[in-house]
């Protein structure tokens, strides 16, 4: 039987299950570990005890493939949710879990990432205690580039193609050469449409919950040793490829200088991944109701181009998972107020 959803503004089914995660009140703990893959969720769930003696772990798989596992860690109720990848999936996980949990919540992302510079190295656990920035591909850059190419006079007006930022960005010239100034074509006054436009936008940093990050660092250092834990800023990109500075011949990504520009602007930048910024951004907008931070295993080293042997990942997922669960279990959370309980009823 297909479920029937009501309220297009925030759809839930007749049992109060959310639209994408498929869970309802009572099935999710206020302390949530968000992981990227189903196998990582199941692996880290081996560290949990059942919600009550003699019972099994609670498990639910939604129609969209989100897995939720609820149990206890060191006696404290926790949930592990597989979030898949990218900021839109993090949006589902944060908002739909917020809708089925009363009181303050804590969410930690345990993921993988690329290490962008020293001291972060392959296999380290990187804690985003300095917060996160977002790196987004701005499609308007290419739209304006197209418009510019159809208006040769615009380029002539500002002294040829180089001043529009395109060739300055390391781009090959388009081979058309400077167009002759023809009085009968529509002449665009002033700078070309591209002036000042960049192919990638980089956001201001959003902060991590400082206490949650500090107990996470402590827990991670206890598991793998302090030499394998790095604290810094993480950058969440909207692509594994273009906005993480990966290059290739198939697309005009204009991203050759991106990694260098990011590390220059942010000397404490350690990792590139795809989710933490959105988690921290939503926590910041949650009216104080969500505490959040992130930890990731450095799976790729962008400065040496090394990629970790996949067989080494499970041990690091368990190490990071142990640290994250310990931090989640240890962070104090405010109980639901009478007002919040009344609103939920
Ligand atoms: N990830 C990256 N970039 C890397 C390594 C890992 O984004 O270089 C993370 C984030 C995303 C997934 O969830 O892994 C993409 O493979």
């Amino acid at each position: 039987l297909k479920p029937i959803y009501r309220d297009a503004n925030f759809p839930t089914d007749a049992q109060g299950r959310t639209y994408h995660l498929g869970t309802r009140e009572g099935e999710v703990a206020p302390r949530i570990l968000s992981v990227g893959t189903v196998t990582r969720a199941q692996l880290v769930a081996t560290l949990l005890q059942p919600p009550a003696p003699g019972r099994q772990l609670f498990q639910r798989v939604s129609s969209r493939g989100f897995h939720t596992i609820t149990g206890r860690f060191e006696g404290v109720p926790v949930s592990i949710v597989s979030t898949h990848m990218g900021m839109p999936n993090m949006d589902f996980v944060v908002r739909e879990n917020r809708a089925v949990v009363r009181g303050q919540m804590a969410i930690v992302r345990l993921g993988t990432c690329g290490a962008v510079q020293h001291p972060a190295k392959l296999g380290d656990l990187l804690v985003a205690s300095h917060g996160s920035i977002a790196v987004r591909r701005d499609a308007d850059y290419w739209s304006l580039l197209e418009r510019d190419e159809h208006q040769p006079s615009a380029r002539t007006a500002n002294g040829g193609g180089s001043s529009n930022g395109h060739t300055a960005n390391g781009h090959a010239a388009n081979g058309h050469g400077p167009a002759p100034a023809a009085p009968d074509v529509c002449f665009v006054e002033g700078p070309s449409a591209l002036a000042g436009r960049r192919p990638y936008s980089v956001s201001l940093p959003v902060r991590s919950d400082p206490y949650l990050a500090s107990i996470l660092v402590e827990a991670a250092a206890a598991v793998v040793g302090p030499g394998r834990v790095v604290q810094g800023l993480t950058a969440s990109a909207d692509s594994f490829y273009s906005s993480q500075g990966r290059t290739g011949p198939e697309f005009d990504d204009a991203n050759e200088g991106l990694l260098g520009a990011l590390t220059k602007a942010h000397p404490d930048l350690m990792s590139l991944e795809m989710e933490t910024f959105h988690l921290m951004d939503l926590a910041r907008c949650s009216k104080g109701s969500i505490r959040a931070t992130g930890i990731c295993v450095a799976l790729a080293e962008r400065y040496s181009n090394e990629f970790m042997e996949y067989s080494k990942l499970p041990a690091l997922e368990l190490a990071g998972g142990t640290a994250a669960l310990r931090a989640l279990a240890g962070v104090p959370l405010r109980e639901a107020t009478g007002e919040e309980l009344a609103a939920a009823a």
Side-chain angles (χ1 to χ4, degrees):
L1 221 70
K2 289 257 184 275
I4 295 165
Y5 289 94
R6 47 180 161 221
D7 187 359
N9 182 62
F10 196 95
T12 51
D13 72 6
Q15 301 174 304
R17 296 189 178 283
T18 55
Y19 188 49
H20 307 89
L21 269 71
T23 49
R24 61 176 175 181
E25 219 174 313
E27 295 179 345
V28 186
R31 298 159 196 273
I32 296 173
L33 178 61
S34 155
V35 300
T37 69
V38 173
T39 51
R40 188 176 313 143
Q42 285 163 343
L43 179 67
V44 178
T46 61
L47 301 169
L48 301 188
Q49 300 89 48
R55 297 249 314 270
Q56 302 227 306
L57 293 177
F58 169 83
Q59 302 224 30
R60 180 152 191 114
V61 181
S62 81
S63 60
R64 297 286 186 167
F66 291 99
H67 288 227
T68 301
I69 306 173
T70 301
R72 285 176 185 267
F73 183 79
E74 292 169 356
V76 181
V78 294
S79 291
I80 300 173
V81 178
S82 75
T83 303
H84 309 299
M85 292 167 281
M87 295 195 242
N89 280 322
M90 184 56 86
D91 198 68
F92 291 131
V93 167
V94 176
R95 291 182 190 273
E96 294 190 8
N97 279 315
R98 180 60 281 180
V100 298
V101 172
R102 299 299 133 225
Q104 202 176 28
M105 300 170 73
I107 307 178
V108 173
R109 173 193 183 250
L110 166 67
T112 58
C113 62
V116 291
Q117 59 185 337
H118 292 287
K121 57 187 188 303
L122 226 50
D124 282 355
L125 295 180
L126 313 183
V127 179
S129 45
H130 298 190
S132 179
I133 53 174
V135 184
R136 296 190 175 93
R137 180 177 173 278
D138 182 359
D140 283 356
Y141 174 84
W142 286 268
S143 300
L144 294 172
L145 196 66
E146 268 177 355
R147 194 182 294 177
D148 235 27
E149 276 163 5
H150 290 120
Q151 284 177 346
S153 55
R155 273 182 289 142
T156 309
N158 70 99
S162 62
S163 61
N164 64 12
H166 193 52
T167 48
N169 238 304
H171 260 226
N174 62 17
H176 298 164
D184 56 334
V185 295
C186 174
F187 187 81
V188 181
E189 291 270 336
S192 82
L194 258 180
R197 210 69 194 205
R198 292 282 168 266
Y200 296 90
S201 72
V202 181
S203 77
L204 294 169
V206 172
R207 63 177 218 136
S208 152
D209 184 285
Y211 180 72
L212 187 57
S214 75
I215 58 175
L216 179 56
V217 167
E218 213 173 289
V223 179
V224 297
R228 300 275 306 282
V229 181
V230 179
Q231 296 187 65
L233 183 72
T234 191
S236 305
D238 63 356
S239 166
F240 180 80
Y241 298 101
S242 63
S243 47
Q244 289 188 28
R246 289 187 165 92
T247 55
E250 310 292 357
F251 296 92
D252 172 21
D253 281 325
N255 65 350
E256 290 79 7
L258 184 59
L259 278 184
L262 287 172
T263 53
K264 188 169 177 224
H266 298 283
D268 62 339
L269 182 66
M270 46 176 199
S271 51
L272 270 166
E273 36 76 34
M274 301 178 68
E275 299 82 10
T276 308
F277 177 84
H278 196 57
L279 169 60
M280 290 180 181
D281 181 17
L282 286 184
R284 173 260 302 271
C285 294
S286 72
K287 305 177 180 180
S289 84
I290 301 174
R291 311 186 68 163
T293 194
I295 179 168
C296 56
V297 177
L299 187 67
E301 227 172 57
R302 300 301 306 285
Y303 51 88
S304 69
N305 229 6
E306 297 270 330
F307 204 88
M308 200 174 74
E309 242 176 84
Y310 234 78
S311 61
K312 292 187 178 158
L313 187 56
L316 291 165
E317 291 175 316
L318 279 174
T322 304
L325 288 170
R326 206 162 277 163
L328 282 166
V331 69
L333 294 181
R334 202 172 25 75
E335 299 277 312
T337 62
E339 214 173 289
E340 283 164 339
L341 290 172

